[in-house]
């Protein structure tokens, strides 16, 4: 018993004395944050970091509850969230850390290179159901359409930019993870899906949208139609994170040359200095 | 002391139900009937629609279809193990089947997804995640429950009862079918209900291989999205206290209601059987 108490005491004291940083939010930003933390820990060897990637909304909700220091988000604040912020007299500040292009992917064996936003809209609203309707040269096969589930930030971006208020057909497969989408598209010759460019693998083919590839340059110049900014939100109700505080250092590190290089390493597009 | 522990179990259950109802309440009050009558599930579009009919029907169809296959198979395995299997066989088969029960459902989902569903492509079936695949996954994970529990029920029947039947000239098959099964009926029905409960609540498999489209499936190869899949897939990124959030809790209430009804039915049946 005595030993146990001593053990608990030691664990507890480590827990208290160590510097702690809690980050929650978007699973799009998650891989970037992971790389940042690995690197950031080199300056702060005894830093304890909690990193969760349950979704942008979860992160922002945690910021409201005060259970996180930083909320990662793959979208801007929703109207309800801004309203709640005003109601509670809170003040969240955004930090733009990078960009994500949404790549439309198909199976490698499908003979198509380019797709227009209009066609994409027709596919996702169920107006077009067969590949032959997209292009007469393609086989007359049912298009197997995949989408991220309705709560995902990627879905929201896609909905805004492609569907423009129209509704997705109910028989579209909503899947939980980007990995699942990619796997399915790699396997199924007649599938189509959309994923963050960072996730694209060798196994699938990225389509040009209105003739533009989701390259870094095209996204930064605003030519690629399906791109979105990635943010970190910090609660600044009690003031901007103090200089020298962990949150401040972490954000500055994210903005640094190394930090922005890691954004690229994670497969996204750096916002600054590249 | 015992009272404290058992009391805390009841307390936990009530707390769970209370919070579930509390979170679901706004949805039930503000949306009401549309929840159960509409098939349009557009929780994030503007204006949103929260029709869960397709998902409720999906849950029920998937559960009944899987159960119709699963329960007879499970009973037959238990039947064989009880009546014909030698001890070694019994051990082997039982352990193997129970090993299935220990397989995490995510692993089962992965297995179905990567080894069974690609077979469909060879038969020119365009959708590889569908009702049938979800059902196969559910059958595999839930089968051990039926087998173990039915076998336990059969084994618990007094041997003298079986011996009497055998002594009167009935063969083994008839004895187990007509005498033992009847004596063990309440246990077997309980096994069935528990299995069905397991099937209703299973989440990961239907999430991974169900296809996730909220439509009422019209063929085995249509995608399906049961309530559990909807909750698991959407709760993660939904804004807390939004209507979407409340509606997902309402889905939880529906699931709980289904499960409680099943348990109630089983209580009622076994109560009648033992009396």
């Amino acid at each position: 018993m005595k030993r146990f108490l001593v053990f608990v005491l030691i664990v507890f004291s480590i827990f208290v004395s160590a510097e702690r940083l809690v980050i929650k939010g978007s699973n799009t930003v998650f891989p970037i944050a992971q790389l940042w933390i690995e690197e950031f820990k080199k300056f702060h060897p005894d830093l304890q970091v909690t990193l969760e990637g349950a979704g942008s909304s979860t992160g922002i909700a945690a910021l409201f509850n005060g259970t996180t220091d930083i909320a990662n988000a793959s979208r801007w604040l929703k109207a309800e969230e801004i309203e709640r912020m005003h109601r509670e007299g809170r003040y969240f500040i955004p930090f733009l850390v990078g960009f994500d292009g949404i790549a439309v992917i198909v199976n490698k064996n499908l003979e198509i290179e380019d797709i227009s936003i209009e066609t994409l809209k027709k596919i996702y609203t169920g107006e077009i159901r067969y590949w032959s309707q997209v292009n007469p040269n393609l086989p007359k096969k049912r298009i197997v359409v995949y989408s991220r589930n309705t709560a995902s930030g990627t879905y929201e971006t896609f909905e805004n930019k492609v569907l423009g208020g129209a509704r997705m057909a109910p028989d579209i497969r909503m899947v939980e993870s980007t990995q699942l989408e990619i796997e399915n598209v790699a396997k199924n010759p007649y599938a189509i899906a959309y994923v963050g460019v960072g996730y694209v693998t060798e196994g699938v083919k990225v389509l040009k949208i209105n003739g533009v590839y989701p390259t870094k340059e095209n996204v930064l110049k605003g030519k690629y139609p399906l791109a979105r900014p990635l943010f970190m939100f910090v609660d600044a109700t009690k003031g901007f994170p103090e200089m020298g505080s962990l949150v401040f250092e972490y954000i500055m590190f994210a903005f640094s040359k190394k930090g922005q290089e890691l954004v690229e390493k994670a497969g996204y597009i750096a916002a600054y200095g590249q | 002391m015992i009272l404290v522990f058992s009391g805390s179990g009841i307390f936990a259950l009530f707390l769970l139900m209370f919070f579930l109802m509390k979170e679901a309440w706004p949805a039930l009050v503000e949306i009401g009937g549309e929840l159960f009558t509409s098939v349009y599930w557009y929780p994030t579009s503007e204006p949103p629609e929260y029709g869960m009919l397709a998902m409720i029907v999906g849950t029920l169809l998937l559960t009944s279809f899987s159960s119709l296959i699963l329960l007879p198979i499970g009973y037959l395995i238990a039947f064989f193990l009880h009546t014909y299997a030698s001890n070694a066989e019994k051990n082997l088969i039982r352990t193997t089947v129970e090993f299935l029960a220990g397989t995490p459902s995510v692993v089962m989902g992965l297995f179905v997804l990567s080894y069974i569903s690609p077979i469909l492509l060879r038969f020119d079936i365009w959708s590889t995640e569908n009702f049938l695949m979800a059902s196969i996954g559910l059958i595999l994970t839930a089968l051990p429950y039926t087998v173990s529990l039915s076998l336990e029920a059969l084994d618990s029947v007094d041997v003298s009862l079986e011996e009497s039947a055998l002594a009167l000239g009935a063969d083994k098959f008839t004895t187990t079918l007509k005498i033992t099964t009847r004596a063990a009926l309440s246990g077997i029905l309980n096994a069935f209900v528990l299995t069905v409960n397991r099937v209703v609540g299973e989440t990961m498999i239907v999430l991974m291989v169900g296809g996730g489209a909220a439509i009422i499936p019209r063929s085995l190869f249509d995608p399906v999205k049961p309530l559990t899949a909807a909750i698991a897939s959407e709760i993660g990124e939904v804004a807390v206290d939004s209507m979407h959030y409340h509606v997902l809790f309402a889905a939880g209430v529906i699931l709980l209601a289904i499960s409680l009804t099943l348990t109630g039915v089983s209580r009622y049946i076994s109560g009648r059987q033992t009396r």
Side-chain angles (χ1 to χ4, degrees):
Chain A
M1 194 64 192
K2 212 171 173 188
R3 258 196 198 166
F4 178 72
L5 277 180
V6 170
F7 178 73
V8 167
L9 216 72
I10 290 173
V11 170
F12 191 70
S13 59
I14 290 174
F15 208 59
V16 168
S17 72
E19 300 177 286
R20 289 168 67 203
L21 190 61
V22 185
I23 303 164
K24 292 181 184 171
S26 159
N27 48 27
T28 308
V29 185
F30 185 84
I32 309 178
Q34 228 169 4
L35 291 178
W36 280 340
I37 289 166
E38 270 172 35
E39 194 67 28
F40 190 60
K41 269 195 173 167
K42 289 182 187 161
F43 315 119
H44 296 269
D46 55 351
L47 178 68
Q48 301 253 325
V49 184
T50 311
L51 177 62
E52 281 172 24
S56 305
S57 303
T58 321
I60 289 162
L63 207 57
F64 272 115
N65 297 339
T67 51
T68 186
D69 297 322
I70 295 170
N72 292 332
S74 56
R75 58 166 175 81
W76 185 244
L77 296 174
K78 285 185 192 171
E80 310 139 39
E81 285 162 350
I82 294 177
E83 232 169 71
R84 181 172 173 194
M85 209 168 78
H86 289 315
R87 210 170 48 232
E88 295 182 6
R90 307 283 286 275
Y91 184 52
F92 297 164
I93 38 177
F95 294 94
L96 176 75
V97 292
F99 289 95
D100 180 23
I102 295 178
V104 173
I105 53 170
V106 293
N107 191 274
K108 272 198 157 166
N109 299 324
L110 198 70
E111 306 214 335
I112 180 170
E113 304 297 333
D114 193 339
I115 199 162
S116 69
I117 292 272
E118 295 84 74
T119 316
L120 210 54
K121 180 175 174 182
K122 280 180 185 162
I123 290 176
Y124 273 89
T125 49
E127 213 176 304
I128 289 182
R129 289 188 186 276
Y130 292 89
W131 278 112
S132 53
Q133 289 171 289
V134 176
N135 183 340
N137 300 329
L138 290 168
K140 190 175 184 318
K141 290 282 186 187
R142 184 91 188 241
I143 305 175
V144 187
V145 192
Y146 287 96
S147 160
R148 280 298 308 282
N149 57 7
T150 48
S152 132
T154 319
Y155 169 87
E156 264 168 56
T157 312
F158 190 82
E159 195 189 27
N160 284 338
K161 306 219 166 186
V162 175
L163 299 181
R167 283 180 166 178
M168 237 180 228
D171 56 354
I172 282 169
R173 280 123 207 287
M174 304 276 187
V175 297
E176 282 55 61
S177 80
T178 305
Q179 253 74 32
L180 215 61
E181 282 185 297
I182 291 178
E183 217 173 280
N184 283 320
V185 171
K187 227 167 44 185
N188 193 326
Y190 306 113
I192 188 168
Y194 61 87
V195 299
V197 277
Y199 285 98
V200 173
T201 60
E202 292 287 295
V204 295
K205 188 198 285 183
V206 176
L207 294 185
K208 281 189 241 175
I209 307 261
N210 296 345
V212 183
Y213 266 124
T215 57
K216 188 170 139 185
E217 206 191 338
N218 288 338
V219 169
L220 285 177
K221 281 188 180 162
K223 278 186 185 163
Y224 187 68
L226 296 182
R228 60 171 166 176
L230 304 174
F231 297 101
M232 290 196 288
F233 282 94
V234 168
D235 187 355
T237 312
K238 294 191 182 112
F240 193 83
E242 261 172 60
M243 225 182 212
S245 72
L246 263 183
V247 175
F248 182 86
E249 271 191 54
Y250 178 76
I251 291 169
M252 286 306 133
F253 173 71
F255 285 156
S256 71
K257 187 167 187 307
K258 180 75 196 169
Q260 290 292 304
E261 273 169 23
L262 291 176
V263 173
E264 300 261 321
K265 194 179 163 197
Y268 299 97
I269 295 139
Y272 313 99
Q274 287 284 311
Chain B
M1 201 60 182
I2 292 171
L3 196 70
V4 171
F5 279 114
S6 51
S8 63
I10 296 170
F11 182 66
L13 183 67
F14 273 98
L15 216 61
L16 175 78
M17 282 166 111
F18 173 73
F19 277 114
L20 210 55
M21 275 317 282
K22 185 180 146 253
E23 296 291 2
W25 194 248
L28 296 173
V29 171
E30 277 177 48
I31 301 169
E34 193 199 312
L35 277 181
F36 308 101
T37 53
S38 154
V39 292
Y40 297 106
W41 178 249
Y42 291 103
T44 50
S45 55
E46 222 26 78
E49 270 189 66
Y50 304 102
M52 296 199 290
L53 184 65
M55 294 188 283
I56 296 172
V57 173
T59 304
L60 296 176
L61 277 180
L62 193 62
T63 308
S64 32
F65 178 80
S66 310
S67 305
L68 279 178
I69 297 175
L70 161 69
L71 299 179
I73 295 180
Y75 171 68
L76 283 177
I77 296 177
F79 188 102
F80 169 79
L81 289 178
H82 175 77
T83 319
Y84 299 107
S86 69
N87 265 340
E89 282 169 343
K90 205 168 169 173
N91 268 336
L92 179 72
I93 297 177
R94 220 181 149 169
T95 319
T96 328
V97 170
E98 272 164 11
F99 181 70
L100 264 183
T103 315
S105 52
V106 63
V107 175
M108 191 60 78
L110 213 56
F111 167 73
V112 174
L113 197 65
S114 42
Y115 290 100
I116 301 184
S117 74
I119 298 173
L120 293 181
L121 285 176
R122 275 188 238 155
F123 293 97
D124 213 26
I125 290 161
W126 58 279
S127 61
T128 51
E129 296 87 44
N130 51 40
F131 191 87
L132 184 67
M133 289 300 116
S135 197
I136 288 176
L138 287 175
I139 290 170
L140 286 176
T141 29
L143 188 65
Y145 289 80
T146 331
V147 175
S148 298
L149 294 167
S150 318
L151 182 62
E152 228 159 75
L154 288 175
D155 280 352
S156 69
V157 173
D158 203 335
V159 186
S160 63
L161 195 64
E162 290 180 339
E163 280 170 352
S164 320
L166 291 168
L168 286 172
D171 58 13
K172 276 179 161 182
F173 185 83
T174 322
T175 308
T176 312
L177 188 70
K178 295 206 164 159
I179 308 295
T180 321
T181 302
R182 173 157 292 179
L185 200 59
S186 70
I188 291 174
L189 287 176
N190 252 330
F192 284 7
V193 170
L194 276 173
T195 317
V196 175
N197 251 337
R198 172 91 173 86
V199 173
V200 173
E202 174 52 50
T203 308
M204 204 60 209
I205 291 174
V206 291
L207 189 62
M208 290 175 83
V209 294
I215 54 171
I216 295 176
R218 290 196 167 73
S219 88
L220 283 180
F221 303 114
D222 272 350
V224 62
K225 181 176 192 173
L227 293 167
T228 46
I231 298 176
S233 115
E234 293 175 16
I235 200 80
E237 299 202 35
V238 65
V240 177
D241 277 340
S242 62
M243 191 46 76
H244 188 185
Y245 176 83
H246 295 306
V247 169
L248 289 177
F249 272 90
V253 170
I254 296 173
L255 280 170
L256 196 67
I258 294 176
S259 159
L260 285 178
T261 314
L262 282 171
T263 316
V265 166
S266 120
R267 285 279 135 160
Y268 177 69
I269 293 172
S270 55
R272 274 186 20 171
Q273 289 295 326
T274 45
R275 214 170 285 142

